[in-house]
Amino acid sequence: MPRKPDHPEPEGGWPLGWGSSLTEFQTYLAIERGLSTHTVSGYLSDLRLLAVWALEQAVSPSDLSREVVTKFIVSQQGEGKAARSIARLSSALRQFLGFLRMEGDGSAGPETVVRSPRPPRILPKTLTEAQVEALLSAPDVSTPLGVRDRAWLELLYASGLRVSELAQIPALSVFLDEGFLKVMGKGRKERLVPFGEGAEHWMRAWLRLRPGLRPRTEALFVGRLGEPITRQHLWRLIKDYASKAGIPRAAVSPHVMRHAFATHLLDHGADLRSVQAMLGHADISTTQIYTHVHQARLRALYDRMHPRSAP
């Protein structure tokens, strides 16, 4: 194994010997795979841990083997990393090793990474239908910004959009008469999502007021100065409206509304494939977690209501 350099210098911010491989991998994920900035950042953050550890061991990307990778994962477990963090790290390693093999820079492939035990399933938080109604009614609709907030809250619940999708959706991607919107989701995959009369009513009201804010963007939802509204702003607003509706702030987020959208659809008889399409999940196994929420709610209802449910 080569001797560790005495005074290693970083390459473009990466540990010595890893800069080229990680920069090319970053480009591959973003351009060829079309992954979101958040996902790419997560992979690179995990791989930086590998690169720093590997530099201490005098290991280059081409030296990666099952023994080396396993030793690295064990070192991370020894530092107290949670099972979920180890699973995410293992996923990043499999992606990186697959890329290296494809580029001819290493013989080790994704199968080199020993599969860690599946972390315990964490059911997504959701809201009751009554809580959602209270949240939707929280904005003061006597003001233009209150109408805007009622409109995006209604649309969020009616469509199950991700908050990043909601913040970026152009006004021209909403087809009110037809009752659907066109969304550019993860991996730049386009999908059509329907919405109901409630969302339509408030979006029409908002679109009548929107020109008065002199928009400086094509985005559907803008701020008081016509600027694009950010997902961070949407997060702050929904927390404030949760407090106003008497719901704990920690229980509400844009993503919780996405969970409520999926769970309530299943509660009312929607099929899993339809929910998958509306959420924009590439794999139906991602959507299936909502069936567990649905089953848990049914079980709780049964235990509470059936006369012979208690022992």
Side-chain angles (χ1 to χ4, degrees):
M1 189 172 286
R3 184 176 65 86
K4 182 166 62 178
D6 295 327
H7 300 289
E9 296 294 334
E11 305 175 283
W14 300 111
L16 187 70
W18 287 76
S20 176
S21 295
L22 291 176
T23 299
E24 290 173 7
F25 181 58
Q26 184 175 16
T27 301
Y28 163 75
L29 292 176
I31 305 301
E32 296 190 37
R33 293 279 309 280
L35 300 184
S36 70
T37 303
H38 179 75
T39 301
V40 174
S41 175
Y43 278 143
L44 271 295
S45 175
D46 284 336
L47 291 173
R48 182 181 292 276
L49 296 175
L50 169 66
V52 170
W53 176 88
L55 186 62
E56 296 173 351
Q57 308 296 316
V59 171
S60 70
S62 59
D63 295 325
L64 293 175
S65 63
R66 178 181 289 268
E67 180 183 358
V68 170
V69 170
T70 302
K71 186 177 179 182
F72 166 65
I73 292 175
V74 169
S75 75
Q76 296 301 298
Q77 291 171 327
E79 292 184 9
K81 290 281 196 312
R84 190 165 295 276
S85 297
I86 295 296
R88 189 191 64 200
L89 176 62
S90 297
S91 176
L93 286 168
R94 281 191 289 273
Q95 295 283 344
F96 183 54
L97 290 170
F99 169 75
L100 291 179
R101 174 178 284 176
M102 182 176 66
E103 294 294 304
D105 291 335
S107 58
E111 71 281 355
T112 300
V113 183
V114 177
R115 295 260 177 191
S116 54
R118 183 184 294 271
R121 182 183 294 272
I122 299 177
L123 297 181
K125 295 179 182 177
T126 190
L127 299 171
T128 66
E129 293 182 36
Q131 286 175 318
V132 171
E133 289 295 334
L135 187 63
L136 296 179
S137 301
D140 176 6
V141 295
S142 66
T143 68
L145 292 183
V147 172
R148 177 204 65 186
D149 293 344
R150 178 67 185 259
W152 70 255
L153 283 168
E154 289 275 1
L155 184 59
L156 190 63
Y157 179 56
S159 62
L161 293 179
R162 299 177 178 93
V163 65
S164 57
E165 296 169 343
L166 180 71
Q168 296 168 9
I169 189 168
L172 292 177
S173 291
V174 179
F175 302 90
L176 290 173
D177 292 337
E178 292 81 2
F180 72 86
L181 49 87
K182 186 164 58 176
V183 183
M184 187 67 72
K186 288 186 175 181
R188 298 198 60 77
K189 293 180 180 176
E190 192 175 82
R191 70 185 191 276
L192 298 178
V193 182
F195 54 84
E197 293 181 0
E200 178 192 341
H201 170 81
W202 288 104
M203 282 195 291
R204 286 190 188 277
W206 161 240
L207 286 171
R208 286 194 294 269
L209 297 171
R210 183 177 178 273
L213 277 71
R214 298 182 180 180
R216 296 184 281 114
T217 173
E218 295 179 355
L220 174 61
F221 297 108
V222 298
R224 66 177 66 249
L225 301 178
E227 77 282 6
I229 194 167
T230 66
R231 62 180 184 177
Q232 291 84 359
H233 191 188
L234 294 172
W235 269 78
R236 289 194 297 272
L237 284 171
I238 202 170
K239 296 286 187 183
D240 291 342
Y241 286 128
S243 295
K244 188 175 178 181
I247 306 169
R249 292 172 69 92
V252 180
S253 72
H255 212 65
V256 168
M257 287 288 275
R258 178 170 160 88
H259 295 325
F261 161 81
T263 305
H264 296 169
L265 276 175
L266 290 169
D267 283 349
H268 289 276
D271 67 276
L272 198 59
R273 287 287 181 187
S274 298
V275 176
Q276 177 193 5
M278 287 184 277
L279 290 173
H281 287 162
D283 190 338
I284 199 168
S285 64
T286 308
T287 317
Q288 282 174 332
I289 191 167
Y290 294 106
T291 65
H292 291 271
V293 176
H294 179 59
Q295 290 161 8
R297 287 160 64 93
L298 288 177
R299 183 73 229 184
L301 177 65
Y302 179 88
D303 288 343
R304 187 171 70 251
M305 304 300 293
H306 196 281
R308 297 189 64 80
S309 63

